[in-house]
């Protein structure tokens, strides 16, 4: 998993962020429903939720996993769990139906709704514990800039993808069921399979060295 160059980290952050941003799930469904009910501006507010919710998750996972850095077996198991999670996300990208673009007639409190939905969603906790923070700890060996690059590109990708989804849903709703959308998701799914293999190899190498 040695993603120790800035371009490699940027590519990983972009692939994972775009996949999480465009993949069907609770937050994207809320982005679309708020957009269709109240306009793209409300969908954009929901898209900003990860910037609020993820910081405590990342810090908690960093504190725990940094203390386990001297336990190759534990890190190996976490890497294999991360590989399984990325594989599952990749499969979801390839097989999931288009996101539900319902039209709820609720009053907007979009950022609050987005924060609540993301805190209740298990995916950020699983991702940062088994994939994101292990990559950050690995990147930290190359210096703080490496960590900053991954985080900056990841959040630009995930938030940007959801903002784009809101803008597209506001004007071109049919895109969400189009062949272009399916091809985009297929490409993102294949990129996640690549990183799943990298995590699996890293996990087995850690377990083999114990």
């Amino acid at each position: 998993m040695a993603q120790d160059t800035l371009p490699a980290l940027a590519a990983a952050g972009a692939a994972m962020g775009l996949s999480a941003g465009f993949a069907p799930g609770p937050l994207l469904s809320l982005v679309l429903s708020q957009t269709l009910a109240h306009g793209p501006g409300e969908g954009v507010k929901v898209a900003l939720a990860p910037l609020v919710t993820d910081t405590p998750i990342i810090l908690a996972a960093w504190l725990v996993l940094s203390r386990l850095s001297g336990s190759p077996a534990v890190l190996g198991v976490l890497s294999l769990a991360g590989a399984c999670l990325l594989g599952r996300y990749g499969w979801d990208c390839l097989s999931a139906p288009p996101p539900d673009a319902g039209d709820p007639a609720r009053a907007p409190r979009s950022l609050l709704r987005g924060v609540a939905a993301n805190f209740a969603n298990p995916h950020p906790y699983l991702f940062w514990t088994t994939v994101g923070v292990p990559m950050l700890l690995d990147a930290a060996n190359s210096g703080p800039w490496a960590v900053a690059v991954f985080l900056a590109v990841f959040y630009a990708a995930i938030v940007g993808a959801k903002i784009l989804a809101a803008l597209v849903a506001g004007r071109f709703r049919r895109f969400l069921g189009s062949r272009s959308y399916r091809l985009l998701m297929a490409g993102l799914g294949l990129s996640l399979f690549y990183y799943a293999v990298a995590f699996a190899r890293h996990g087995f190498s850690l377990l083999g060295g114990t």
Side-chain angles (χ1 to χ4, degrees):
M1 189 186 63
Q3 310 287 340
D4 55 356
T5 67
L6 296 185
L9 285 166
M16 294 178 189
L18 289 173
S19 301
F22 283 122
L27 195 61
L28 183 60
S29 293
L30 188 59
V31 167
L32 297 175
S33 63
Q34 290 295 95
T35 295
L36 295 171
H38 306 291
E42 296 301 317
V44 169
K45 292 178 184 178
V46 178
L48 299 176
L51 298 177
V52 179
T53 59
D54 284 13
T55 299
I57 298 172
I58 295 171
L59 291 176
W62 185 291
L63 287 173
V64 173
L65 296 182
S66 62
R67 297 187 178 187
L68 299 175
S69 59
S71 304
V74 174
L75 296 179
V77 170
L78 284 174
S79 289
L80 293 179
C84 293
L85 185 68
L86 289 173
R88 170 62 185 274
Y89 289 170
W91 176 252
D92 286 346
C93 286
L94 291 172
S95 62
D100 179 16
D103 190 11
R106 294 182 175 182
R109 280 185 299 240
S110 298
L111 181 58
L112 180 61
R113 291 183 189 278
V115 168
N118 217 38
F119 267 131
N121 184 4
H123 290 265
Y125 302 92
L126 292 171
F127 173 79
W128 286 111
T129 300
T130 63
V131 178
V133 169
M135 285 194 72
L136 293 179
L137 290 171
D138 194 45
N141 295 324
S142 300
W145 277 109
V147 174
V149 164
F150 179 83
L151 288 174
V153 174
F154 177 86
Y155 279 105
I158 189 173
V159 173
K162 293 190 186 301
I163 289 175
L164 181 60
L167 298 177
V168 169
R171 297 193 61 181
F172 308 105
R173 182 173 178 173
R174 291 182 180 178
F175 172 77
L176 299 172
S178 69
R179 184 170 180 267
S180 297
Y181 178 82
R182 293 194 296 273
L183 288 174
L184 171 65
M185 296 308 299
L188 294 173
L190 291 175
S191 72
L192 289 181
F193 284 134
Y194 168 81
Y195 289 107
V197 171
F199 265 73
R201 292 178 61 185
H202 184 65
F204 283 124
S205 70
L206 287 171
L207 292 174
T210 58

